[in-house]
Amino acid sequence: MTKETLFKQGAIWAFIAVELAFFTIAGDFLSTSDKSFMDFDNMLLLLKQSAPIGIIAVGMTIIMINGNIDLSVGAVFALAAVVMLDSMTWPFMAALGDWAIPLAWLFALTTGMVLGAINGFIVWKTGVDAFIVTLGSMLGYRGLVFMYNGEQPTSHLNWTLVDFAEAQFLGLHTATWFFLVCVLVLWLVMTRTVHGRNAYAIGNNREAAVNAGIKVGPHILLNFVIIGFLAALSAVVFYSESGSVNPNDGMLYELWAITAVVLGGTKLMGGYGSIISTLGGVIAIQLLRKGLGHIGADTETVNLVIGLILIAVLILDRQLNQKGKQELRT
Amino acid sequence: MSTSVTPVLRLDGIVKTFPGVKALDGVSLTVMPGEVHALMGENGAGKSTLMKVLGGIFAPNEGQIFIADEPVQMTSPLQAKSKGVVFIHQELSLADELSVAENIFLGELPRKSLGRVDWLTLYDRTDRILKTLNVGFNARTRVGDLSIANQQMVEIARALTVDPIAVIFDEPTASLTDAEKSVLFDVIADLKGRGVGIIYISHRMEEIFKITDRISVLRDGQYRGTLDTAHTNEDEVTQLMIGRSLDLSRKASSHEVGEIALEARNLSCGSLYQDVSFTVRRGEVVGFYGLVGAGRTEIAETIFGLREPSGGEILLDGQTVQFRSPIDAIARGISLVPEDRKGQGLVLGMNCRDNMTLPQVGDLVAGPFVSDGAEIAIFDQYRDKLDIRTPGWRQTVGNLSGGNQQKIVIGKWLSMHPSVLIVDEPTRGIDVGSKAEIHNLIRDLAAQGYAVVVISSEMPEVLHVSDRIVAMYQGRIICDFTAETVTEDNLIQAISGIDPRKVA
């Protein structure tokens, strides 16, 4: 790792450290709670709460490195949740007892992969920009959610499932484990496998990738299948615990995921980025939300501050990058 | 040079440092009125940095710029322009969808009341400027419809909206054909006649000796001297630039040529080129020479599977082949070093090793993961073989010099053990020293038994590296020459559409 990348990938973690310090100190003066912000249980909870967006953000990272974007993840998230919860009420599933759980998960994850594959296939075969394609599918998939159950929430509570989702292993919650495993696996995929290497190459210079004989289309398709799977996995993990999904759930998730990815330093135009930095971006956002809540700010203020920080970070990033771009003599 | 005439432009002891690098170390340059002053130096010698200081993009750490003996502080290219110093860049910065007039006066369109554009004045002023340039288009032409050469003329016209006292041409002929160049040289001669001082940056010796009065040379950020063009020669300039002399004479091939590796029979591709037939044998370099747009690159793209031919056939080792994509072509041992190195050849954000192994990374796996060791082994092998100068494989390719970048692209293909190597404009934008190395490399590859196709717009290059030369004109092969029979005159005739054998 060169000094430059170390610096870039370290920036988000430095930002997290600043946040922690700020909220700990500010909390001492402003918080009504007598608990300290850095409380261990509080931090564990923070990781658990960042999991739903985090799992999607990991997928968004590989999509963006590849030079695309996926705006439909929120709708896929909702539809996968509906499929999982509703399928458990089907007569043959109910008859299976707890064996219905893995089957319901399978249905939900398959739904996610199929929806992702549809996006990827259209992007590959038509060459239409992923932004437009997934803008369309975002509306379309959300439409499917409403067609399924109208304005009504879809609910099914299975206590075995709830117990599983609320379990803690080595102190970490189930959702946190899923999130961290996703980070690890996708990090390996992007840094160590052929698919990851080629995804970077395609995002950085598609023409050069074609000229090197890389099969661009299949790589794009695979990435969309992965993000579809991850959006569904995020839903599965979250709704196993809550047991009820509203047709509007998951709205704006695509934007939160993109925010986390961009905060982590991945470039919108593709070719650059890292899964680990996205993990940092996800944690940084969740810290801000929790921290601002801790010192008594309301939700509206939280969104305003996150928005301002995102823009400030990108301006800073631009400044730093431009400095680095001055004439390198070789 | 007499001292009674005031120089139009004088740079005095310019120092510019970047963290860790002294990019310019006390460089001075004086441009007299009506003088064409060449600025030469290898890539990285500091030419661009010096021009950026002159254009106000970089502030110098030390030194002073004088315009007509007045000390000035340059803060931006726009401010430089207002002082009569204008830049004509290698890369065009035009808006395709706008008219010629709008492009020329972009940002300073003549106005009427309420912010309305005064179109009549605009077109009138533009046409007056265009008339002095003697071009074949008018103020209302859409820029996107113009050829690259004419677009360059628009850039020049833009420079003439002020009364310039100094004009800087940065590699202006990089994408121009010989005919288009001569138009450009006429414009330069005209400016010169009006007493404008001209700085001319180029790697091309031929042009430098044709049009310049004096030559200043930079090396490693330092001023190396100024020569009178009339009293020097290429050797002296080259020595000053690289500190040694170069042998550019033709090397006779000392090896036997083998079987036919690649053959095209009556190959056509719509309006791009028609009825093209040629053969390339193992151990042979075949040069394709012609004007830009003659169809040479398109033929290469067809052979590489990027274009579908509309007729004819391609044979590899005597077998007809049909490629649906570069994947098929690569699998059959064809490789293409493309014309646009940065846009088509390299993934600039990636490191040297990853670029080198890009086409075969799928085969370098151990279990589910890419094998670091296998990749580094390939990189090391071709770094040594091609003498690629980089601090290490982790270096981002975008930070290498043009010559080393080109070697990475060539190494990438050699590591695939191809049988046919097509090199499109092998030395475009590459400094003199690396140029010779690339030429030698191409000769060596032929000697090792590769069938090599070289496409080039530079006559000395084609003459230097090729065993046979195919001359093209407007999508057709006019004739082909062997290295023994070719003359420069014949070649020039052929690429203008005249078959010299029929004339004789």
Side-chain angles (χ1 to χ4, degrees):
Chain A
M1 190 182 283
T2 60
K3 216 184 267 173
E4 192 186 346
T5 56
L6 193 70
F7 173 74
K8 273 187 189 160
Q9 302 196 346
I12 186 70
W13 302 103
F15 180 58
I16 289 172
V18 171
E19 281 184 82
L20 282 173
F22 174 79
F23 289 124
T24 306
I25 297 163
D28 285 345
F29 296 102
L30 296 170
S31 176
T32 46
S33 150
D34 51 358
K35 259 191 175 172
S36 128
F37 182 67
M38 284 274 267
D39 178 74
F40 188 64
D41 285 336
N42 200 20
M43 290 298 117
L44 286 180
L45 192 62
L46 179 139
L47 280 175
K48 179 187 175 182
Q49 288 164 340
S50 32
I53 297 284
I55 293 173
I56 296 175
V58 167
M60 195 66 84
T61 311
I62 65 171
I63 286 281
M64 283 169 61
I65 286 172
N66 200 199
N68 289 311
I69 200 148
D70 188 350
L71 299 178
S72 71
V73 284
V76 172
F77 174 86
L79 197 57
V82 168
V83 167
M84 178 184 74
L85 295 179
D86 193 62
S87 69
M88 283 195 286
T89 64
W90 298 343
F92 88 92
M93 291 278 280
L96 287 171
D98 280 349
W99 286 107
I101 296 172
L103 215 51
W105 280 42
L106 185 68
F107 291 154
L109 295 175
T110 308
T111 305
M113 288 194 284
V114 169
L115 297 178
I118 293 172
N119 285 336
F121 211 73
I122 297 174
V123 171
W124 172 12
K125 289 297 178 189
T126 66
V128 176
D129 199 279
F131 185 93
I132 307 295
V133 171
T134 60
L135 184 67
S137 60
M138 173 180 91
L139 298 171
Y141 295 165
R142 183 64 67 181
L144 290 177
V145 176
F146 278 96
M147 281 161 71
Y148 210 101
N149 225 351
E151 302 279 341
Q152 300 304 311
T154 307
S155 307
H156 179 78
L157 217 48
N158 177 317
W159 289 107
T160 316
L161 200 50
V162 174
D163 286 344
F164 172 72
E166 286 185 340
Q168 277 174 282
F169 178 65
L170 299 177
L172 299 176
H173 298 89
T174 306
T176 310
W177 278 110
F178 272 93
F179 180 28
L180 294 181
V181 168
C182 286
V183 168
L184 178 69
V185 170
L186 268 296
W187 175 73
L188 284 172
V189 166
M190 291 314 280
T191 56
R192 306 289 303 280
T193 70
V194 175
H195 172 67
R197 175 75 59 81
N198 287 348
Y200 273 101
I202 293 165
N204 198 290
N205 188 344
R206 188 169 171 156
E207 210 175 333
V210 170
N211 283 335
I214 292 172
K215 293 172 183 159
V216 170
H219 285 296
I220 289 176
L221 177 63
L222 179 57
N223 280 330
F224 273 102
V225 171
I226 293 174
I227 196 174
F229 173 85
L230 290 172
L233 183 69
S234 169
V236 157
V237 172
F238 185 75
Y239 290 102
S240 289
E241 185 166 0
S242 90
S244 175
V245 51
N246 278 303
N248 276 321
D249 281 8
M251 274 199 184
L252 294 186
Y253 272 31
E254 58 281 345
L255 297 186
W256 284 114
I258 293 169
T259 305
V261 174
V262 170
L263 205 55
T266 298
K267 298 263 179 291
L268 262 176
M269 66 215 175
Y272 295 90
S274 121
I275 299 282
I276 303 293
S277 297
T278 294
L279 172 66
V282 170
I283 292 174
I285 288 182
Q286 195 60 31
L287 260 177
L288 264 181
R289 284 189 175 178
K290 265 190 110 65
L292 289 168
H294 182 70
I295 60 174
D298 50 28
T299 324
E300 292 80 4
T301 321
V302 173
N303 284 349
L304 178 66
V305 171
I306 294 179
L308 289 175
I309 285 181
L310 181 71
I311 294 171
V313 164
L314 291 184
I315 291 171
L316 193 69
D317 176 67
R318 211 181 130 75
Q319 296 293 330
L320 292 175
N321 275 332
Q322 277 191 336
K323 238 178 215 157
K325 284 229 169 87
Q326 278 188 353
E327 296 284 304
L328 261 174
R329 294 203 307 160
T330 46
Chain B
M1 192 103 357
S2 124
T3 45
S4 59
V5 186
T6 314
V8 287
L9 192 66
R10 190 154 64 87
L11 293 124
D12 193 25
I14 305 287
V15 175
K16 175 67 193 170
T17 53
F18 296 120
V21 204
K22 204 161 196 179
L24 292 175
D25 189 1
V27 174
S28 300
L29 189 70
T30 307
V31 183
M32 306 305 291
E35 176 193 33
V36 181
H37 196 128
L39 182 60
M40 297 195 75
E42 295 196 90
N43 287 343
K47 291 169 303 188
S48 335
T49 315
L50 186 65
M51 288 306 109
K52 281 179 179 158
V53 168
L54 180 55
I57 295 167
F58 295 154
N61 301 76
E62 285 171 42
Q64 182 64 52
I65 301 169
F66 298 90
I67 294 178
D69 267 354
E70 291 279 314
V72 286
Q73 293 282 328
M74 292 293 192
T75 52
S76 74
L78 208 65
Q79 187 235 13
K81 188 174 178 181
S82 74
K83 293 196 182 298
V85 178
V86 285
F87 292 82
I88 293 166
H89 293 287
Q90 180 180 2
E91 270 115 37
L92 300 168
S93 53
L94 298 170
D96 279 355
E97 295 299 325
L98 299 184
S99 71
V100 169
E102 286 168 289
N103 269 287
I104 291 176
F105 285 95
L106 206 61
E108 42 197 11
L109 294 172
R111 305 228 178 139
K112 294 194 286 189
S113 61
L114 299 173
R116 290 170 303 155
V117 175
D118 185 351
W119 294 104
L120 285 179
T121 311
L122 175 67
Y123 290 134
D124 188 48
R125 285 177 61 186
T126 307
D127 279 328
R128 254 184 291 154
I129 295 171
L130 293 181
K131 202 173 279 173
T132 66
L133 290 176
N134 200 13
V135 290
F137 55 89
N138 66 39
R140 294 165 198 250
T141 315
R142 200 181 73 102
V143 162
D145 295 334
L146 296 175
S147 68
I148 298 287
N150 279 333
Q151 290 188 5
Q152 190 127 30
M153 286 299 159
V154 176
E155 286 275 2
I156 294 169
R158 195 191 256 176
L160 299 179
T161 56
V162 293
D163 247 339
I165 58 170
V167 181
I168 293 92
F169 288 90
D170 188 358
E171 296 265 4
T173 56
S175 46
L176 299 190
T177 61
D178 286 339
E180 292 163 345
K181 275 179 208 166
S182 71
V183 177
L184 175 75
F185 295 158
D186 287 346
V187 171
I188 291 177
D190 181 51
L191 285 170
K192 185 179 149 113
R194 285 153 58 179
V196 175
I198 290 159
I199 298 179
Y200 191 86
I201 302 173
S202 176
H203 285 305
R204 303 185 182 195
M205 290 285 184
E206 225 185 317
E207 297 167 6
I208 299 281
F209 279 90
K210 199 164 161 188
I211 66 164
T212 69
D213 301 305
R214 288 196 297 162
I215 303 171
S216 285
V217 177
L218 298 183
R219 184 165 87 223
D220 300 330
Q222 291 175 338
Y223 172 73
R224 288 285 159 178
T226 301
L227 304 164
D228 268 334
T229 311
H231 301 113
T232 183
N233 54 40
E234 294 194 8
D235 244 16
E236 200 178 350
V237 176
T238 311
Q239 276 198 29
L240 217 51
M241 281 168 67
I242 63 177
R244 62 193 153 90
S245 64
L246 275 178
D247 176 23
L248 261 177
S249 63
R250 174 79 178 79
K251 282 185 196 63
S253 42
S254 49
H255 57 276
E256 295 288 307
V257 292
E259 296 293 300
I260 292 175
L262 173 70
E263 182 175 1
R265 282 189 196 155
N266 309 106
L267 200 62
S268 299
C269 186
S271 61
L272 296 169
Y273 60 87
Q274 299 85 34
D275 204 19
V276 164
S277 303
F278 60 90
T279 60
V280 187
R281 292 173 180 273
R282 292 188 195 288
E284 182 182 51
V285 179
V286 176
F288 275 68
Y289 186 62
L291 303 175
V292 173
R296 299 165 301 159
T297 297
E298 289 76 9
I299 292 175
E301 286 169 347
T302 310
I303 294 169
F304 193 57
L306 283 164
R307 287 181 192 275
E308 196 182 339
S310 56
E313 51 182 354
I314 301 168
L315 291 90
L316 261 188
D317 298 323
Q319 283 180 305
T320 305
V321 287
Q322 277 180 330
F323 299 142
R324 277 171 296 117
S325 73
I327 298 165
D328 298 342
I330 292 166
R332 290 298 303 269
I334 294 183
S335 46
L336 172 68
V337 176
E339 187 178 13
D340 176 3
R341 186 167 53 246
K342 292 180 180 177
Q344 305 169 320
L346 291 167
V347 181
L348 285 182
M350 273 189 169
N351 65 41
C352 296
R353 181 198 70 181
D354 293 2
N355 265 288
M356 184 95 86
T357 56
L358 200 59
Q360 56 174 324
V361 68
D363 299 324
L364 303 174
V365 288
F369 298 132
V370 177
S371 159
D372 245 14
E375 279 197 288
I376 293 172
I378 288 180
F379 175 76
D380 284 347
Q381 185 188 344
Y382 287 90
R383 182 198 55 201
D384 297 345
K385 195 167 174 178
L386 305 182
D387 190 23
I388 297 169
R389 269 152 277 163
T390 155
W393 64 261
R394 287 182 181 82
Q395 181 69 30
T396 307
V397 153
N399 292 340
L400 297 185
S401 69
N404 282 314
Q405 285 182 349
Q406 190 70 308
K407 287 183 192 171
I408 296 261
V409 181
I410 294 174
K412 171 171 84 178
W413 292 121
L414 294 187
S415 72
M416 299 287 290
H417 308 292
S419 54
V420 178
L421 185 66
I422 307 171
V423 193
D424 197 352
E425 300 290 359
T427 60
R428 171 168 291 178
I430 288 177
D431 60 80
V432 193
S434 316
K435 231 176 186 170
E437 285 184 53
I438 302 241
H439 289 160
N440 289 339
L441 180 62
I442 289 172
R443 294 299 320 162
D444 286 349
L445 292 174
Q448 288 163 32
Y450 290 97
V452 187
V453 174
V454 170
I455 300 170
S456 176
S457 303
E458 290 184 45
M459 192 186 295
E461 178 165 276
V462 181
L463 289 171
H464 178 57
V465 301
S466 316
D467 295 304
R468 287 192 296 124
I469 298 172
V470 173
M472 289 195 69
Y473 173 73
Q474 293 196 346
R476 289 179 186 280
I477 291 181
I478 299 301
C479 61
D480 63 81
F481 305 93
T482 62
E484 289 75 33
T485 59
V486 70
T487 66
E488 294 192 19
D489 288 347
N490 284 348
L491 215 45
I492 287 172
Q493 283 187 324
I495 63 158
S496 323
I498 305 158
D499 189 336
R501 290 168 306 194
K502 286 173 190 158
V503 175

